């Protein structure tokens, strides 16, 4: 099993605009020597909006909740809508609504301006809202790529069944937003002990090797996730409580696993054990447990970041600010 290095969660939430109340659990500007960009590369930032309820907004037309026009450059923003809906519009003329269960993978590349708000329908009806926004770094070879979107609906995301380690019963699902899932089907006949392996590809195209999986456990049991030996790995615990590699983790925490180590044997490094157990014997219905797995091959390049820009050098960062001030942003 990949050992847990640290559990991060004691962050105060803050408002992004007036629409997103988030805990920043990963931040490339962090100076913490034990948890900085080196440990999260290629993930630059993770903002988590824990489930919260918004009242209907009667002034949606004049005062929608969210953030107005702002730029991004040098990376990708990935927005996952768990509850509620987010509308967006950008400087390339693109616009749309990220529906519940959907993902928007936006490549800012050489520069884009956009705005992010609660959708009109959600603003008017109100209700539960929960989302994750990630910033994924682009390697220098692709930093200035053309801006683009991947709008991925819930129905377009591959879903695989998680099976209990002991009896093979279904205990949950993994939704493969990005990356690869190795599905190992053990033969029913134990005498032949045959196994077949098939690879399930995530819905999003990525510039570097990344796994992004929404995990949900709905039954008691133990399931194992397989992660690459060479990746940085993190898990965001969103709802419920689980034993992860034997350690109890509650909602709102981010688990940082030990750095990849090619000298560790694969068996010690490439699996994460999720154990859903309960001490009570009563008939209370089980609540589903929800988590997000993030893993990525480190890009290993220097970064120079400030606000919404992440470049490789201070000179590129300064040039970006000059371009922004002189109306040459994104050109
Ligand atoms: Mn943005």
């Amino acid at each position: 099993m990949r050992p847990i290095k640290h559990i991060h969660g004691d962050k105060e939430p803050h408002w992004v605009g007036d629409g997103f109340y988030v805990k920043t659990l990963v931040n490339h500007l962090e100076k913490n020597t034990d948890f900085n960009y080196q440990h999260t590369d290629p993930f630059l930032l993770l903002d988590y909006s824990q489930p919260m309820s918004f009242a209907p907004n009667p002034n949606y037309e004049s005062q929608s909740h969210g953030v107005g026009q702002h730029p991004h450059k040098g990376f990708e923003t990935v927005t996952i809508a768990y509850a509620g809906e987010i509308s967006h519009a950008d400087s390339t003329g693109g616009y749309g609504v990220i529906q519940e269960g959907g993902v928007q993978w936006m490549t800012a590349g050489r520069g884009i301006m956009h705005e992010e708000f609660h959708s009109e329908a959600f603003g008017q009806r109100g209700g539960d809202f929960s989302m994750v926004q990630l910033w994924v770094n682009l390697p220098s070879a692709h930093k200035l790529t053309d801006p683009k979107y991947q709008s991925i609906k819930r129905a377009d995301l591959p879903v695989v069944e998680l099976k209990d380690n002991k009896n093979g019963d279904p205990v949950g699902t993994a939704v493969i937003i990005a990356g690869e899932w190795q599905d190992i089907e053990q033969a029913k006949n134990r005498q032949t002990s045959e196994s077949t392996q098939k690879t399930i590809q995530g819905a999003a195209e990525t510039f570097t090797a990344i796994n992004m999986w929404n995990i949900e456990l709905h039954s008691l049991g133990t399931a194992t996730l397989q992660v690459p030996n060479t990746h940085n790995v993190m898990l965001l615990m969103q709802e419920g409580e689980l034993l992860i590699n034997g350690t109890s983790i509650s909602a709102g925490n981010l688990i940082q696993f030990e750095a990849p180590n090619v000298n560790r044997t694969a068996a010690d490094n490439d699996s994460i054990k999720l154990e859903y157990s309960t001490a009570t014997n009563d008939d209370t219905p089980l609540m589903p447990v929800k988590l997000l797995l993030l893993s990525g091959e480190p890009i290993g390049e220097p970064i120079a970041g400030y606000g919404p820009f992440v470049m490789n050098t201070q000179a590129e960062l300064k040039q970006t600010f000059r371009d922004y001030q002189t109306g040459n942003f994104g050109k």
Side-chain angles (χ1 to χ4, degrees):
M1 291 187 294
R2 177 79 73 105
I4 290 175
K5 185 175 182 196
H6 199 76
I7 298 158
H8 304 269
D10 52 346
K11 290 263 164 46
E12 280 301 308
H14 62 273
W15 284 97
V16 176
D18 63 355
F20 312 107
Y21 191 56
V22 303
K23 263 186 182 181
T24 299
L25 291 164
V26 171
N27 187 349
H28 63 285
L29 300 172
E30 187 66 66
K31 297 288 187 270
N32 182 343
T33 48
D34 293 324
F35 190 54
N36 55 45
Y37 176 63
Q38 189 198 328
H39 306 99
T40 66
D41 181 3
F43 301 99
L44 295 160
L45 181 127
L46 188 167
D47 271 352
Y48 177 41
S49 165
Q50 283 185 258
M52 68 180 287
S53 188
F54 281 86
N57 176 3
N59 306 318
Y60 184 85
E61 292 279 346
S62 57
Q63 252 187 315
S64 42
H65 294 315
V67 268
Q69 283 274 317
H70 59 277
H72 291 291
K73 182 176 183 175
F75 56 93
E76 304 184 282
T77 66
V78 180
T79 308
I80 310 170
Y82 290 100
E85 299 168 356
I86 301 144
S87 67
H88 63 92
D90 71 75
S91 52
T92 71
Y95 64 92
V97 173
I98 311 166
Q99 305 282 347
E100 210 161 278
V103 179
Q104 183 208 54
W105 198 293
M106 183 182 86
T107 306
R110 68 185 147 81
I112 197 166
M113 298 279 292
H114 77 159
E115 55 181 45
E116 298 157 279
F117 287 101
H118 292 186
S119 75
E120 182 169 3
F122 178 75
Q124 285 174 350
R125 75 170 180 266
D128 285 341
F129 188 87
S130 175
M131 56 89 88
V132 160
Q133 184 166 95
L134 290 151
W135 291 7
V136 180
N137 202 10
L138 286 167
S140 59
H142 298 289
K143 253 196 194 309
L144 305 184
T145 190
D146 288 342
K148 67 167 185 180
Y149 282 111
Q150 299 175 70
S151 299
I152 306 162
K153 294 189 179 69
R154 181 206 288 265
D156 298 329
L157 290 161
V159 182
V160 296
E161 202 164 67
L162 290 173
K163 297 190 182 96
D164 184 77
N165 289 348
K166 291 191 197 88
N167 56 24
D169 287 348
V171 289
T173 53
V175 172
I176 314 302
I177 298 171
E180 285 186 347
W181 177 275
Q182 305 297 341
D183 211 23
I184 302 163
E185 185 74 45
Q186 294 293 339
K188 295 275 182 270
N189 182 349
R190 297 263 170 182
Q191 280 156 351
T192 61
S193 71
E194 276 173 34
S195 65
T196 54
Q197 186 166 348
K198 73 176 185 241
T199 303
I200 289 131
Q201 291 287 343
E205 278 176 36
T206 64
F207 284 85
T208 59
I210 282 170
N211 288 312
M212 195 178 289
W213 306 334
N214 281 330
I215 310 285
E216 204 169 309
L217 296 184
H218 50 66
S219 307
L220 299 182
T222 303
T224 301
L225 306 178
Q226 296 294 327
V227 293
N229 232 351
T230 54
H231 283 200
N232 280 326
V233 183
M234 296 180 282
L235 254 184
L236 172 66
M237 195 67 199
Q238 293 170 279
E239 293 179 42
E241 194 167 340
L242 272 190
L243 283 174
I244 297 180
N245 291 353
T247 300
S248 179
I249 311 285
S250 56
N253 285 294
L254 179 92
I255 304 166
Q256 174 194 5
F257 289 90
E258 290 282 358
N261 180 347
V262 288
N263 296 321
R264 228 179 263 146
T265 65
D268 287 341
N269 209 25
D270 67 355
S271 67
I272 294 170
K273 194 167 137 193
L274 310 177
E275 197 178 339
Y276 190 8
S277 61
T278 174
T280 57
N281 282 325
D282 59 27
D283 294 331
T284 320
L286 283 178
M287 295 303 287
V289 175
K290 297 180 184 178
L291 45 156
L292 171 67
L293 176 125
L294 299 168
S295 85
E297 185 90 42
I299 295 170
E301 293 175 350
I303 57 167
Y306 190 87
F309 309 132
V310 181
M311 307 306 292
N312 291 118
T313 67
Q314 289 298 325
E316 289 168 353
L317 191 59
K318 277 190 191 130
Q319 186 61 47
T320 297
F321 273 96
R322 268 198 296 275
D323 291 346
Y324 188 66
Q325 281 152 6
T326 56
N328 290 307
F329 180 70
K331 289 179 183 157

